[in-house]
């Protein structure tokens, strides 16, 4: 059995795991990213985590010779071959940071076993890594063409075509959160108007709930929680029949259905995988509205051939996907 190390480098935490080629996480570690500490400090924290995992692997009978490499997933514009982060929303001021090289240098300087630094490091956009994780060991097993959306503060995207991640000409492809769903819509964090992310990102879901209750004066069981609302609270209320909360998820589902209609027409994928915390709202609240909007809008063949399913790997998709990249290369 072969193994690899997968790293999901987020703005808040570094999640790392020693993963078998079957997608089983043998050991994992979560450590704070300290996003403001600079690229060298972050590379060093990643390298330290890698050494810890490899040492722990030893006690499970996984030797260095069994480890094929290291995969790192990070948000932003990533150059996978060179291992460079051109820019990242999680790390203000990062421009053209050779992250894979920095990690490798730190491993060479500090790992007690110098052979660790000889392991290949693959860097990938986190949305792409999640799509690849789901393809290898999640909802997309045996699927050749899929799109994936990860709903959170922002909306991550990934596209798999013929079993491989689609990068685009300069690795800036698959920014599915910036699919336009309203030509004169809300301002998005990217500077454009009407992007999917501007409608289904965490903050706007919360803001819209507040507005329905305060500005529109609708009754809701969430009235007492207006200052600390979370999508989870809104979905819990919706499950108990709160009408405002139900409307919020129906609207969110419709927005996603509109975006998927474009993707169904452009790519005709077999599957759309929806993950991230907001997807936990589940079948009735979220997935049925998505599917009915898609069915209403898309051409029959395009709608019928695209299954819309929930991600299976949960918040481990990025970690598992990053680890699997090593075996692809
Ligand atoms: Zn945008």
């Amino acid at each position: 059995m072969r193994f690899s190390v997968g790293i999901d480098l987020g703005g808040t935490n570094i999640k790392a795991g020693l993963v078998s080629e079957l997608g089983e996480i043998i050991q994992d570690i979560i450590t704070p990213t300290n996003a403001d500490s600079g690229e060298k400090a972050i590379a060093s924290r990643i390298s330290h985590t890698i050494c810890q995992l490899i040492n722990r692997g030893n006690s499970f009978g996984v030797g260095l010779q069994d480890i094929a490499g290291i995969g790192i997933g990070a948000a932003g514009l990533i150059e996978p071959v060179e291992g460079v982060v051109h820019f990242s929303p999680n790390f203000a001021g990062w421009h053209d940071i050779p992250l894979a090289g920095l990690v490798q240098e730190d491993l060479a300087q500090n790992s007690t076993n110098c052979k660790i630094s000889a392991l290949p490091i693959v860097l990938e956009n986190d949305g792409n890594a999640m799509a690849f994780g789901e393809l290898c060991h999640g909802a997309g097993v045996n699927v050749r063409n899929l799109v994936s959306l990860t709903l959170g503060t922002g909306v991550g995207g990934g596209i798999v075509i013929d079993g491989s991640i689609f990068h685009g000409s300069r690795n800036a492809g698959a920014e599915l959160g910036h699919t336009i769903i309203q030509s004169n819509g809300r301002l998005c964090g990217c500077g454009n108007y009407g992007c999917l992310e501007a409608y289904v990102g965490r903050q706007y879901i919360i803001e819209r709930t507040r507005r329905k209750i305060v500005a529109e004066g609708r009754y809701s069981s969430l009235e007492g929680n207006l200052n600390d609302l979370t999508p989870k609270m809104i979905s819990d209320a919706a499950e108990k029949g709160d009408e405002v909360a139900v409307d919020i998820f129906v609207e969110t589902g419709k927005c996603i259905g509109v975006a998927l209609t474009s993707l169904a027409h452009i790519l005709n994928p077999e599957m759309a995988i929806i993950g991230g915390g907001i997807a936990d709202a589940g079948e009735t609240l979220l997935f049925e509205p998505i599917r009915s909007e898609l069915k209403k809008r898309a051409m029959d063949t395009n709608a019928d051939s695209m299954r819309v399913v929930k991600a299976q790997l949960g918040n481990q998709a990025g970690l598992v996907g990053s680890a699997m990249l090593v075996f692809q290369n």
Side-chain angles (χ1 to χ4, degrees), residues 175 177-180 186-198:
E175 286 291 350
H178 302 284
T179 306
I180 305 294
R186 299 187 76 235
L187 178 64
C188 176
C190 73
N192 200 353
Y193 293 86
C195 298
L196 176 67
E197 181 171 300

Side-chain angles (χ1 to χ4, degrees), residues 1 11 20 56 83 86 97 105 117 149 153 187 191 197 204 210 215 226 244 259 264 305 313 322 326:
M1 178 85 77
S20 81
R56 284 199 204 169
H86 288 301
I97 300 295
E105 266 172 39
S117 64
L149 294 175
T153 306
L187 178 64
E197 181 171 300
Y204 189 54
R210 259 190 224 131
L226 292 182
V244 167
S305 49
L313 299 178
S322 301
V326 171

Side-chain angles (χ1 to χ4, degrees), residues 71-82:
I72 304 175
L77 182 54
I78 307 288
E79 158 58 58
V81 177
E82 309 284 330

